[in-house]
């Protein structure tokens, strides 16, 4: 990518998805999300391309948000139709698949994060990039090593972006367990679904993304083609901020990923977006709440979380 190129992504993601575009001199262009999965909507991307004709559009960066892959088939078709590359933000999706295709092997390149909060986490900061293109792989290896394939011979200007050995050692051991940990996350998610339904907090399963006083909670939806790894278990909740405060008062960890969509971040004001441009992303920012999820979470702890949510909505 060169200065002035644009790259399309979702406004409902962590900041780094879009800042990675600006760091390459590119201009982020946003399209709205699918309200069921919270992932970048392929039809919205298509519409953005056809109605806005973004200048020098080079590619699309879908984000496998919360551990669920985007619709890889739809993004393949978009890339082919418009001559674009797909760069995956797979930071939250180690082990996730779409029809058996792994996150990280869907686009031309992908980036993973092993930050300590991630489902596959190191002892400190770490990450990895993947590619399906051998030449790009060689380029990545040079870039991480000050642009040199051979010591002290620099073909280009890179960085020191090598993973610390200590982080690699931790990850190498954890890799043995990641499949079972991801499976455990899926079981915990299914159990939350059941407990929340039994508590009478939800509307019709999988149909509605709407919450109101009579059905205050909407469960996360998983596409049939996706193997979700539930990096996060994220609800929509009526009176979300008050529920978050209530759970925090009871020492139940919960978090809002993300309270402000990227098109309304101060640092991106120069892009010229305004409130209302991406209504589903803005609604998600106002309604989502992530409940505790990690492989060691116990059944009684899950019951405690759901009981606290039920107590909140009984008032
Ligand atoms: C969706 C997404 N993209 C990018 C990142 C950035 O990862 P890192 O902090 O390891 O650079 C994160 C990490 O929080 C993320 O969740």
């Amino acid at each position: 990518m060169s200065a002035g190129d644009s790259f399309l992504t979702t406004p409902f993601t962590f900041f780094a998805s879009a800042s990675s575009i600006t760091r390459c001199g590119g201009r982020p262009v946003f399209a709205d999300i699918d309200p069921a999965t919270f992932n970048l909507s392929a039809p919205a991307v298509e519409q953005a391309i056809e109605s806005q004709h973004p200048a020098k559009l080079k590619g699309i960066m879908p984000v496998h948000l919360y551990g669920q892959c985007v619709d890889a088939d739809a993004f393949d078709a978009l890339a082919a139709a418009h001559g674009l590359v797909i760069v995956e933000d797979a930071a939250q999706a180690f082990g996730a698949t779409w029809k058996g295709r792994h996150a990280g092997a869907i686009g031309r390149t992908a980036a993973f994060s092993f930050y300590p909060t991630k489902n596959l986490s190191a002892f400190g900061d770490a990450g990895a990039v993947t590619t399906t293109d051998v030449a790009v792989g060689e380029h990545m290896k040079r870039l991480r090593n000050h642009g040199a394939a051979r010591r002290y011979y620099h073909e280009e200007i890179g960085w020191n972006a090598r993973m610390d050995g200590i982080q690699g050692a931790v990850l190498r051991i954890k890799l043995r367990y990641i499949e079972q940990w991801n499976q455990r996350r899926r079981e915990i998610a299914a159990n939350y679904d059941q407990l929340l339904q039994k508590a009478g907090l939800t509307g019709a399963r999988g149909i509605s993304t709407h919450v109101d006083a009579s059905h205050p909670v909407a469960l996360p939806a998983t596409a049939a083609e996706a193997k979700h790894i539930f990096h996060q278990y994220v609800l929509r909740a009526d009176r979300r901020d008050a529920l978050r405060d209530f759970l925090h008062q009871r020492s139940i960890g919960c978090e809002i990923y993300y309270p402000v969509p990227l098109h309304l971040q101060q640092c991106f004001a120069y892009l010229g977006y305004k409130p209302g441009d991406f209504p589903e992303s803005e609604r998600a920012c106002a309604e989502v709440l992530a409940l505790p999820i990690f492989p060691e979470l116990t059944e009684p702890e899950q019951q405690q979380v759901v009981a606290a949510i039920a107590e909140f909505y009984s008032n």
Side-chain angles (χ1 to χ4, degrees):
M1 186 155 69
S2 28
D5 290 344
S6 43
F7 223 84
L8 228 151
T9 191
T10 164
F12 187 59
T13 179
F14 181 59
F15 171 73
S17 309
S19 66
S20 67
I21 296 169
T22 62
R23 282 185 199 287
C24 301
R27 185 181 176 88
V29 175
F30 297 117
D32 213 350
I33 56 167
D34 168 1
T37 62
F38 301 109
N39 274 332
L40 183 61
S41 152
V45 168
E46 175 90 69
Q47 205 191 350
I49 294 171
E50 288 185 351
S51 63
Q52 296 168 33
H53 305 289
K56 299 205 277 170
L57 184 65
K58 284 289 164 354
I60 307 170
M61 183 187 293
V63 181
H64 307 307
L65 201 69
Y66 307 145
Q68 175 167 208
C69 281
V70 296
D71 179 340
D73 301 316
F75 282 97
D76 280 348
L78 275 174
H82 299 280
L84 301 170
V85 297
I86 301 291
V87 173
E88 299 164 68
D89 181 336
Q92 301 183 3
F94 195 95
T97 64
W98 178 268
K99 288 195 196 161
R101 286 167 74 189
H102 274 87
I106 289 171
R108 164 111 42 105
T109 62
F112 289 91
S113 169
F114 305 130
Y115 183 71
T117 57
K118 296 295 191 278
N119 66 319
L120 177 61
S121 56
F123 262 20
D125 273 303
V129 286
T130 57
T131 179
T132 48
D133 181 321
V134 174
V136 173
E138 292 307 317
H139 191 195
M140 287 168 161
K141 285 185 196 160
R142 280 199 304 277
L143 283 176
R144 77 171 169 187
N145 203 20
H146 295 291
R150 192 172 144 216
R151 218 170 176 197
Y152 306 129
Y153 292 82
H154 302 268
E155 293 147 55
E156 60 187 318
I157 297 170
W159 316 276
N160 172 357
R162 299 178 298 260
M163 188 190 289
D164 286 349
I166 186 76
Q167 308 304 342
V170 169
L171 289 164
R172 200 168 164 188
I173 302 295
K174 286 195 172 187
L175 263 176
R176 295 179 195 155
Y177 304 98
I178 190 64
E179 273 301 318
Q180 75 197 55
W181 287 338
N182 284 345
Q183 178 55 28
R184 179 72 195 124
R185 284 172 180 273
R186 275 189 287 278
E187 287 161 15
I188 291 169
N191 196 36
Y192 267 137
D193 285 355
Q194 280 188 7
L195 291 171
L196 289 159
Q197 278 177 295
K198 268 196 224 151
L201 295 166
T202 64
R205 177 78 181 98
I207 295 170
S208 179
T209 64
H210 174 82
V211 286
D212 57 29
S214 56
H215 295 119
V217 162
L219 303 178
T222 302
E225 300 88 340
K227 189 170 173 193
H228 200 320
I229 55 93
F230 287 97
H231 181 268
Q232 299 297 349
Y233 179 89
V234 178
L235 302 171
R236 287 180 190 268
D238 190 41
R239 294 189 283 135
R240 190 271 317 270
D241 289 349
L243 173 62
R244 178 207 41 199
D245 295 347
F246 184 89
L247 295 178
H248 280 173
Q249 276 161 18
R250 276 153 187 74
S251 302
I252 294 173
C254 56
E255 190 53 276
I256 297 166
Y257 307 107
Y258 297 91
V260 182
L262 297 188
H263 65 290
L264 302 181
Q265 293 284 351
Q266 194 180 335
C267 66
F268 289 135
Y270 71 94
L271 296 173
Y273 290 108
K274 56 184 188 320
D277 281 344
F278 303 107
E280 289 299 349
S281 298
E282 291 168 35
R283 185 165 74 94
C285 287
E287 292 182 349
V288 294
L289 190 65
L291 300 186
I293 190 162
F294 46 91
E296 300 79 9
L297 191 69
T298 64
E299 165 78 27
E301 285 169 333
Q302 283 196 269
Q303 286 170 359
Q304 207 183 325
V305 173
V306 175
I309 297 172
E311 186 189 341
F312 172 77
Y313 286 117
S314 68
N315 296 314

